[in-house]
Amino acid sequence: MTSKANEKLKKYFDRNTPLFIKIGRSSASANIHRAVWGNGVTNDTEAMTYVNKIILDEINSTDTSETLRILDLGCGVGASVFYLANGLLRKAEFTGISISKVQIEYARKFHQQNYSGLACEFIEADFHELPDLPLYDFIYLVEAFVLSYDPDRLLSGIQKRLKPGGKLIICDDFLTEGNGTRVESDKLLAAFVEGWHIGSLWKVEKLKNKAENHGLTLAKNTDLTPYLNLWTLRDKMAHFFLYLYKLLPVKSIYWESVRGGDALQKCLIRGLINYRFLVFTKS
Ligand SMILES: C[S@@+](CC[C@H](N)C(=O)[O-])C[C@H]1O[C@@H](n2cnc3c(N)ncnc32)[C@H](O)[C@@H]1O
């Protein structure tokens, strides 16, 4: 473990994961990420797995007869891995990595109970210090890139473990040029960064340039923000309860994350942040 920030993140996910996957949106699929109401989505479960679906489409559109190797960095409880395994058109071997011991325990349990025939391994590790791993055809991060305290190091590790021609997929929040008054915007962004333990909130352009230094070329850049169902009744209720929470003398690790999510909603609505799906190709 390399930093104090990572210790905090680990504690944040170890403590919150059981709640994340039992209550709220994540209970629909065990994915700890956003619901995206993209084309063809008709219910909560499909919205919660839409990002998995577009990753699957990306992988299935690759022409190869070999067994694929796929690495999920920041794998949560393994929900994306299991989704992909169900829909892939060819054989694949998976590795999932998370900094959270609790998440890895959940993932291993789901694997044993429901997918015992699947070639996959879940490892508790820091994605800045990857263990000995084989080369992969696909590496993806869903809502995990922004948690990196050192994206340059993360990209360097990814580059080393991606096959030539392999793809890196990142789905996450990126800064836009910004709207509104500066002070107000800064306050909202700071509340998001603090509540969700964000390590690096970058513009896509910055990531594109940094990735190029590691031989990774941006090939697709899709804005998923229009497909987020923002400011729902659930969000309004959370916003209301936050008023009461702020009056309390004690802080809760779960409610701090709700506070971060509330600020993120406002950042997305005001166009300070976009939710993007990016695909990079290794030359
Ligand atoms: C918002 S959750 C997303 C989980 C999963 N990708 C999904 O979509 O369900 C962020 C994930 O990133 C992981 N993570 C954050 N920082 C990490 C690090 N330094 N090393 C490994 N995993 C990390 C967390 O443990 C968690 O699994």
Side-chain angles (χ1 to χ4, degrees):
M1 192 69 45
T2 38
S3 79
K4 251 191 169 167
N6 261 6
E7 282 299 338
K8 269 192 169 172
L9 252 188
K10 196 174 150 58
K11 192 166 149 197
Y12 171 84
F13 281 109
D14 279 350
R15 290 255 188 97
N16 281 334
T17 294
L19 276 177
F20 283 156
I21 61 171
K22 273 190 204 114
I23 57 172
R25 293 188 179 94
S26 292
S27 59
S29 71
N31 267 117
I32 305 168
H33 65 219
R34 238 141 309 160
V36 181
W37 292 79
N39 287 337
V41 171
T42 58
N43 58 46
D44 278 352
T45 308
E46 285 172 8
M48 279 306 299
T49 54
Y50 183 77
V51 170
N52 301 340
K53 182 191 169 299
I54 53 179
I55 295 174
L56 178 67
D57 291 346
E58 192 64 45
I59 299 176
N60 276 342
S61 68
T62 306
D63 192 20
T64 170
S65 55
E66 288 171 22
T67 298
L68 293 173
R69 281 226 177 90
I70 301 173
L71 173 62
D72 183 336
L73 292 179
C75 65
V77 298
S80 297
V81 164
F82 302 131
Y83 181 99
L84 295 179
N86 276 333
L88 274 179
L89 298 176
R90 54 187 76 86
K91 273 180 120 181
E93 290 171 6
F94 293 90
T95 310
I97 286 187
S98 169
I99 201 163
S100 158
K101 182 175 190 278
V102 170
Q103 290 185 343
I104 293 300
E105 283 168 0
Y106 269 104
R108 287 180 182 156
K109 202 162 103 194
F110 289 145
H111 181 212
Q112 249 175 18
Q113 287 177 348
N114 308 316
Y115 299 89
S116 57
L118 178 67
C120 94
E121 188 184 15
F122 291 103
I123 304 170
E124 181 193 343
D126 179 351
F127 55 40
H128 299 96
E129 294 169 11
L130 290 173
D132 245 1
L133 295 168
L135 290 180
Y136 292 91
D137 301 277
F138 290 90
I139 299 181
Y140 64 87
L141 296 93
V142 180
E143 297 192 23
F145 176 81
V146 289
L147 300 172
S148 167
Y149 64 84
D150 188 351
D152 226 14
R153 187 144 143 224
L154 173 62
L155 289 168
S156 161
I158 288 172
Q159 186 276 136
K160 284 185 194 126
R161 282 154 187 94
L162 207 51
K163 289 183 188 170
K167 286 182 182 172
L168 164 66
I169 300 173
I170 294 179
C171 186
D172 227 316
D173 294 294
F174 289 89
L175 273 179
T176 61
E177 292 307 324
N179 289 313
T181 67
R182 195 149 166 77
V183 175
E184 191 190 10
S185 307
D186 285 354
K187 267 192 186 166
L188 281 177
L189 290 168
F192 165 52
V193 166
E194 197 193 344
W196 276 25
H197 301 272
I198 301 299
S200 43
L201 192 51
W202 283 10
K203 290 184 181 165
V204 173
E205 196 60 21
K206 178 166 174 181
L207 175 56
K208 176 176 178 268
N209 294 335
K210 293 276 184 187
E212 236 152 53
N213 296 339
H214 295 282
L216 300 161
T217 307
L218 183 61
K220 267 189 202 167
N221 175 359
T222 309
D223 186 7
L224 296 180
T225 322
Y227 306 109
L228 299 176
N229 198 2
L230 299 169
W231 207 230
T232 60
L233 182 63
R234 188 201 300 265
D235 300 320
K236 287 175 193 160
M237 278 167 64
H239 187 72
F240 170 74
F241 282 115
L242 278 170
Y243 273 113
L244 305 178
Y245 166 72
K246 279 180 211 159
L247 300 175
L248 296 176
V250 285
K251 293 285 163 249
S252 132
I253 204 161
Y254 180 73
W255 279 94
E256 284 303 298
S257 97
V258 177
R259 201 159 77 90
D262 185 65
L264 171 61
Q265 290 259 335
K266 290 181 193 135
C267 291
L268 288 160
I269 289 167
R270 291 179 194 197
L272 303 174
I273 287 177
N274 272 177
Y275 189 56
R276 300 235 161 214
F277 183 81
L278 309 174
V279 181
F280 299 82
T281 313
K282 181 173 165 176
S283 42

